[in-house]
Amino acid sequence: MSRLVTLFLCLFLIVRTSIAGEGMWLPILLSQLNEKDMQTMGMRITAEDIYSVNHSSLKDAIVLFGGGCTAEIVSNQGLILTNHHCGFSNIQRHSTLEHDYLTDGFWASSLTEELPNPGLSVTFLVSMEDVTEKILQGISPDMKGSERDAIILKNRGKVESEASKGSRYKASVKAFYSGNQFYLIMTETFTDIRLVGAPPSNIGKFGGDTDNWMWPRHTGDFSVFRIYANKNNEPADFSKDNIPYTPKKSLTISLKGVKEGDFTFVYGFPGTTQEYLPSYAVDMAANQRNPIAIKLRQQKLDLIDKAMENDKLTRIQYAAKAASVANFWKKMIGESKGINRLDAIEKKQQFEAGFEIWVNAENSRKDLYGNILTDYRQSIEDFRPYHKAYTYLTEGAMGVEIIRFAYGYNNLLKQCREKTTADDEIIKSAAKLKAGVPGYFKNYNSKLDEAIFAKLMETYGKECDPAFLPPIFTEAMAKYEGSYKAWAADVFKKSMFADSSKMNTLLDNFTRKRSKKIEEDPAFLVARSVYAFLQDKLVPVVNSFYLKADSLQRVYMKAQMEMQTGKVFYPDANSTLRVAYGNVKGYSPADAVDYRWFTTLDGILEKENPDVYDYVVTPRLRELSTSRDYGRYADADGSMHVAFIATNHTTGGNSGSPVLDADGNLVGINFDRCWEGTMSDLIYDPDQCRNIALDIRYCLFIIDRYAGAANLIKEMNFATR
Ligand code: ARG
Ligand code: GLU
């Protein structure tokens, strides 16, 4: 071996165990992989206190909230805390011009006032077990991907059905390390979840989208719900007879706060990360997908923001929609910037060069991994134009509400055309669609949607490669002489999908014959062309790419683990329960700038601006602030701490996760990441990546002093030291 090769190998083989802060670890492996490290960093409890199947542990107080957030139990009566933005769509759904809980907040003063939320659920992890061997039974290394997948699917089904036999828990097998390991996960889901309290938006969303993903932050991002169960303390759908759930474990709250350097950990359900991708995949995400999506979302947000500023009803109608469009928009900007500032692509390329040297150093490796990177690069090159078109279609055309809404009627139309579908089935489908009409139009402004149609379709039509445009574009451009505004105006004037009364006319006593109305509707025609193009021309390529990429990534992941034997790997996030741990720490976002690790209520008054919606401070909060009477919620320094940052590695889904201290006591609620570190889903940088947590004392201060909901505080348990 040449000296250079030896040097490369040394660099890659002698790697540190882990980068401080990086990693989302499996709770069941903590005792094996992380406990020592955590205790060295300051933790005073054990891995068994965090996760145990034999007795109650912290894990029993953590739930997956809805589809994509985390919440934690803080009382023996099933009271849970999550973020305001996690409860947002539920708070929004209960809001009207008369009862505007978004603006004014909501507090139930007794159990009977707590509001049910159909569709909302929370899920507990009951247990987790490595079943890799069972799942890989019958697999040989030279098997084709499709063959392998079929066997795995069968084995999975077997393991799941065996596990759920005679159990009241749901069993599912999930893949880890890109499909190299498998775990059986048993869960229990509760479906009667009621809204207990939410601060007004100018506390819960203070700083709005302007401050989103940024530090210094002053958002009181929390809301309060309660889990209900039947008389046997088991999951049950909503019923007046249900009672508050008695948990196995509820968290103890510490009012001591944290100090710089303190150990903390975040316990929750991170959604998706892709830390082990090759450079080309990162490049496609950061430099192709993100810029297109950012531009289209920016155009949409400009229109929504203007409409919301001018009209109170639109503000309520579009609050949740705007927030979700804006959230990922801003995340993508931060991510692409972070990737470029960190030279992440070059770093990955260097790693890949070292990888090739390692592979070529031995024939057995050459056989297994010799082509992996070239194949991967080629697949991505071939996929790029399709991925681009896919991004334009999903972010452009599908960003228009009427297009998505109209397409929802395609199935009814199909049923009407099929002779085999009986009339009463058609009536059932129409009734189902009719039930969705009021909810859809409650949050719909057709003037605004028309403007969005004109703008997004124009960008899509002009920037996307013509070979990748749905045929409706050519027809429309000929008909409206190149005017997207005229196209939009005509569609919205004539389409019944823009008007609730026309929709009701269609659906009242619906019969087969009326299907013609759907078929001839101009919005439906646009939708049909767009979705047909998606399904016929793009989806097959997208699916086959991801199938191939998944199998390439599996092999590449395996090879990376073989090469870096000294490194402890954590699996990418996949919405399973994880522990991230780190230290409370400020950072330096730019030359000559240092960020402190906490913010205070004084900062809220510094940011106050009565003319800007995001920075309005209510007289009550100002009063509480000037009195400086924070009682037991004050920090030792006398101020009211609002938020703090730490090096915990978190991602979307960790919203609402408890931030726990060295003793396992609740000190904060995770709600965001700092701007400079938003690339951490693709690559983590210990200097820049920070999670943002709401200080639990500010949350309780608002509940207790601002809302006067002392009844809730009474339910909670506090640490004595
Ligand atoms: N950025 C945080 C997260 O990803 C908070 C989002 C709240 N939404 C918003 N648009 N401000 O979930
Ligand atoms: N706000 C994010 C969420 O919904 C958490 C922030 C992040 O992505 O780290 O889960």
Side-chain angles (χ1 to χ4, degrees):
M1 257 190 281
S2 77
R3 295 240 309 270
L4 191 66
V5 173
T6 321
L7 183 74
F8 251 120
L9 290 184
C10 289
L11 270 179
F12 283 107
L13 296 179
I14 311 169
V15 253
R16 48 339 65 142
T17 37
S18 61
I19 296 177
E22 177 170 5
M24 301 167 174
W25 304 93
L26 288 178
I28 54 163
L29 297 182
L30 287 182
S31 57
Q32 209 179 309
L33 301 181
N34 314 94
E35 188 178 45
K36 263 212 193 89
D37 194 24
M38 293 169 92
Q39 288 171 341
T40 312
M41 286 167 71
M43 185 172 79
R44 287 185 288 264
I45 56 173
T46 64
E48 182 81 0
D49 295 325
I50 298 175
Y51 179 95
S52 166
V53 274
N54 303 316
H55 51 82
S56 79
S57 59
L58 292 174
K59 98 164 182 344
D60 300 313
I62 320 291
V63 290
L64 175 73
F65 180 88
C69 278
T70 304
E72 52 276 4
I73 302 182
V74 290
S75 92
N76 294 328
Q77 296 161 63
L79 197 68
I80 52 177
L81 294 177
T82 187
N83 291 143
H84 185 260
H85 78 261
C86 294
F88 200 69
S89 57
N90 292 295
I91 306 166
Q92 194 266 348
R93 221 167 287 139
H94 292 296
S95 296
T96 57
L97 279 174
E98 295 76 46
H99 299 283
D100 188 354
Y101 301 142
L102 278 183
T103 306
D104 307 326
F106 168 79
W107 298 96
S109 57
S110 66
L111 291 181
T112 50
E113 287 180 17
E114 297 179 359
L115 301 172
N117 300 284
L120 180 61
S121 64
V122 303
T123 298
F124 288 88
L125 169 69
V126 178
S127 67
M128 205 173 161
E129 179 194 342
D130 188 342
V131 290
T132 309
E133 235 170 78
K134 287 185 193 164
I135 298 295
L136 294 183
Q137 214 159 59
I139 301 273
S140 60
D142 51 343
M143 225 166 229
K144 273 219 311 271
S146 52
E147 217 178 321
R148 185 180 193 275
D149 291 345
I151 295 180
I152 289 183
L153 196 70
K154 219 174 98 213
N155 290 348
R156 265 186 163 176
K158 205 167 140 219
V159 170
E160 285 173 359
S161 69
E162 269 168 21
S164 51
K165 215 179 283 158
S167 162
R168 61 178 230 252
Y169 304 127
K170 187 176 170 242
S172 56
V173 171
K174 282 217 170 201
F176 291 75
Y177 298 102
S178 308
N180 287 291
Q181 287 181 28
F182 296 86
Y183 284 81
L184 169 65
I185 294 174
M186 304 297 288
T187 56
E188 181 170 43
T189 297
F190 286 77
T191 51
D192 184 355
I193 312 301
R194 302 191 197 166
L195 176 63
V196 175
S201 286
N202 48 35
I203 290 176
K205 208 177 184 268
F206 183 80
D209 288 312
T210 322
D211 284 8
N212 191 20
W213 297 109
M214 305 252 229
W215 187 253
R217 190 66 159 279
H218 298 84
T219 314
D221 199 345
F222 77 93
S223 57
V224 190
F225 288 78
R226 192 188 300 281
I227 308 173
Y228 278 75
N230 67 15
K231 294 242 150 62
N232 303 324
N233 207 35
E234 286 161 354
D237 284 341
F238 172 79
S239 152
K240 280 219 245 2
D241 301 331
N242 286 349
I243 50 170
Y245 168 69
T246 309
K248 283 196 217 114
K249 173 92 188 170
S250 105
L251 298 180
T252 304
I253 298 171
S254 164
L255 294 177
K256 268 195 327 203
V258 285
K259 294 185 307 299
E260 173 132 56
D262 277 1
F263 173 84
T264 59
F265 65 105
V266 175
Y267 206 178
F269 291 89
T272 315
T273 59
Q274 297 176 293
E275 311 285 347
Y276 308 102
L277 290 179
S279 56
Y280 348 106
V282 173
D283 181 52
M284 185 165 72
N287 298 324
Q288 177 170 289
R289 180 202 61 194
N290 286 1
I292 297 170
I294 290 165
K295 180 169 187 182
L296 286 160
R297 283 177 183 235
Q298 170 83 65
Q299 294 178 333
K300 184 166 164 175
L301 284 167
D302 287 347
L303 293 164
I304 297 181
D305 286 347
K306 211 166 79 209
M308 281 173 73
E309 246 163 61
N310 294 334
D311 181 46
K312 235 179 137 190
L313 179 63
T314 312
R315 175 171 286 292
I316 296 178
Q317 291 176 320
Y318 280 75
K321 294 180 198 174
S324 84
V325 177
N327 193 40
F328 206 55
W329 160 78
K330 198 159 175 186
K331 155 85 195 299
M332 286 187 284
I333 300 176
E335 183 175 82
S336 289
K337 274 194 171 166
I339 291 290
N340 292 325
R341 204 192 45 242
L342 198 61
D343 290 331
I345 290 164
E346 290 72 13
K347 287 203 172 101
K348 292 242 171 197
Q349 282 167 348
Q350 278 162 20
F351 176 84
E352 285 150 20
F355 178 82
E356 296 286 22
I357 293 173
W358 174 78
V359 169
N360 288 321
E362 242 175 62
N363 279 337
S364 61
R365 290 183 203 144
K366 262 199 252 179
D367 291 344
L368 286 171
Y369 309 126
N371 296 326
I372 186 83
L373 283 178
T374 3
D375 282 0
Y376 216 147
R377 183 192 297 135
Q378 192 56 49
S379 301
I380 288 182
E381 275 321 305
D382 296 344
F383 183 51
R384 262 178 179 273
Y386 291 88
H387 189 248
K388 194 170 182 176
Y390 182 76
T391 310
Y392 272 113
L393 191 149
T394 49
E395 292 283 335
M398 284 167 73
V400 182
E401 287 176 90
I402 202 170
I403 296 181
R404 289 201 310 273
F405 183 55
Y407 192 70
Y409 284 69
N410 192 46
N411 207 29
L412 179 63
L413 178 63
K414 244 174 43 208
Q415 287 183 320
C416 291
R417 285 223 215 92
E418 283 160 0
K419 292 220 171 64
T420 48
T421 309
D423 282 352
D424 51 333
E425 255 183 73
I426 289 174
I427 291 171
K428 252 194 236 151
S429 302
K432 225 180 178 176
L433 286 168
K434 187 165 189 273
V437 168
Y440 176 79
F441 283 98
K442 174 184 183 281
N443 288 334
Y444 185 66
N445 175 335
S446 69
K447 273 272 148 278
L448 173 57
D449 199 28
E450 180 184 328
I452 292 173
F453 182 110
K455 190 80 213 169
L456 297 197
M457 293 301 262
E458 178 168 7
T459 306
Y460 180 13
K462 287 187 172 159
E463 291 185 4
C464 184
D465 178 346
F468 282 109
L469 275 179
I472 191 87
F473 277 87
T474 327
E475 289 163 37
M477 285 305 97
K479 184 164 168 199
Y480 302 104
E481 295 168 347
S483 167
Y484 287 87
K485 272 218 169 89
W487 183 15
D490 200 39
V491 166
F492 279 77
K493 198 171 108 203
K494 293 183 183 147
S495 172
M496 60 187 174
F497 291 101
D499 182 333
S500 65
S501 63
K502 285 186 193 160
M503 289 310 292
N504 285 326
T505 315
L506 171 82
L507 295 167
D508 281 336
N509 307 315
F510 185 83
T511 61
R512 248 198 173 101
K513 269 204 251 132
R514 296 228 192 118
S515 63
K516 241 182 135 65
K517 290 199 122 167
I518 302 175
E519 212 166 2
E520 286 166 359
D521 187 277
F524 183 78
L525 291 174
V526 176
R528 188 157 67 179
S529 175
V530 165
Y531 278 84
F533 191 83
L534 174 69
Q535 263 136 28
D536 302 343
K537 298 281 182 329
L538 299 181
V539 165
V541 184
V542 171
N543 285 349
S544 82
F545 169 77
Y546 282 110
L547 208 66
K548 177 119 196 260
D550 283 352
S551 104
L552 289 165
Q553 185 62 35
R554 171 172 50 79
V555 178
Y556 186 42
M557 180 81 230
K558 180 164 177 279
Q560 290 181 61
M561 293 172 86
E562 276 172 27
M563 174 174 127
Q564 297 167 283
T565 45
K567 177 172 168 172
V568 186
F569 282 81
Y570 59 94
D572 269 320
N574 58 357
S575 294
T576 56
L577 189 61
R578 303 293 179 94
V579 170
Y581 57 95
N583 297 97
V584 173
K585 200 173 175 192
Y587 71 108
S588 166
D591 189 30
V593 184
D594 277 320
Y595 279 158
R596 191 179 66 190
W597 55 274
F598 69 95
T599 58
T600 69
L601 186 48
D602 299 331
I604 294 186
L605 295 182
E606 276 175 18
K607 281 182 179 172
E608 178 180 13
N609 182 345
D611 301 326
V612 178
Y613 185 84
D614 288 345
Y615 297 107
V616 173
V617 177
T618 56
R620 170 135 192 83
L621 188 61
R622 196 169 329 108
E623 212 177 280
L624 285 168
S625 163
T626 29
S627 78
R628 302 197 79 80
D629 173 18
Y630 308 138
R632 60 174 180 156
Y633 305 117
D635 187 77
D637 68 11
S639 72
M640 179 81 247
H641 285 208
V642 170
F644 63 88
I645 52 177
T647 59
N648 302 300
H649 188 184
T650 52
T651 186
N654 271 126
S655 272
S657 302
V659 182
L660 302 141
D661 68 7
D663 298 307
N665 293 327
L666 182 67
V667 288
I669 307 176
N670 188 71
F671 71 95
D672 212 357
R673 268 176 286 169
C674 294
W675 182 243
E676 293 75 12
T678 40
M679 68 297 185
S680 65
D681 294 348
L682 297 168
I683 186 166
Y684 182 92
D685 174 13
D687 289 337
Q688 299 291 322
C689 293
R690 298 289 180 271
N691 69 308
I692 307 181
L694 172 68
D695 194 304
I696 197 68
R697 296 169 298 176
Y698 181 60
C699 165
L700 299 175
F701 172 72
I702 296 294
I703 295 179
D704 193 351
R705 299 293 178 83
Y706 186 92
N711 54 318
L712 299 179
I713 306 284
K714 266 200 216 106
E715 284 186 38
M716 303 175 187
N717 301 311
F718 293 90
T720 42
R721 359 175 242 134

